[in-house]
Amino acid sequence: MTDCKQQLKELIEDTVFPDIEDAIDDVFEEIANSKKPSKEQESLLKDMNEFKEDLEDILKEIKENELEDEECKELFEEFTLMIKEMETE
């Protein structure tokens, strides 16, 4: 496994995945408090679950050594930028 793939794997498993799971939990908590999901909450949950599935697919590609190095670098940069943007909010 290349350095990029290892770093991407760790970034997803240690940071991105837990963050998306926390965000999903927060939306479920909001829904539980309001008793009924709004259209916005339903859409947000759908989007977050799709993103979580995409992360799982990326991890699978890394495990099976199917992720190209260039794509790895692009994903790592995107996730790093996304994390930095979230930290500044």
Side-chain angles (χ1 to χ4, degrees), residues 1-2 5 60-69:
M1 183 179 308
T2 65
K5 291 176 187 169
K60 182 180 176 189
E61 286 182 38
I62 291 171
K63 181 180 177 186
E64 295 175 358
N65 201 27
E66 295 176 351
L67 186 67
E68 298 294 324
D69 288 337

Side-chain angles (χ1 to χ4, degrees), residues 4-76:
C4 179
K5 291 176 187 169
Q6 183 63 38
Q7 289 176 337
L8 181 60
K9 179 181 179 288
E10 290 172 4
L11 183 66
I12 291 171
E13 291 177 339
D14 298 342
T15 305
V16 180
F17 221 91
D19 286 351
I20 194 72
E21 288 177 335
D22 287 346
I24 290 170
D25 289 344
D26 290 346
V27 174
F28 275 123
E29 190 174 313
E30 289 175 17
I31 291 170
N33 290 336
S34 66
K35 307 285 190 234
K36 187 174 189 238
S38 67
K39 296 280 186 201
E40 182 180 313
Q41 289 169 324
E42 288 176 351
S43 176
L44 186 58
L45 276 177
K46 181 180 179 240
D47 291 344
M48 286 191 284
N49 280 312
E50 287 175 359
F51 182 59
K52 187 176 172 185
E53 288 173 13
D54 290 343
L55 294 173
E56 291 168 347
D57 289 343
I58 293 167
L59 289 173
K60 182 180 176 189
E61 286 182 38
I62 291 171
K63 181 180 177 186
E64 295 175 358
N65 201 27
E66 295 176 351
L67 186 67
E68 298 294 324
D69 288 337
E70 190 60 37
E71 184 179 6
C72 179
K73 290 174 187 171
E74 289 174 13
L75 288 169
F76 187 83

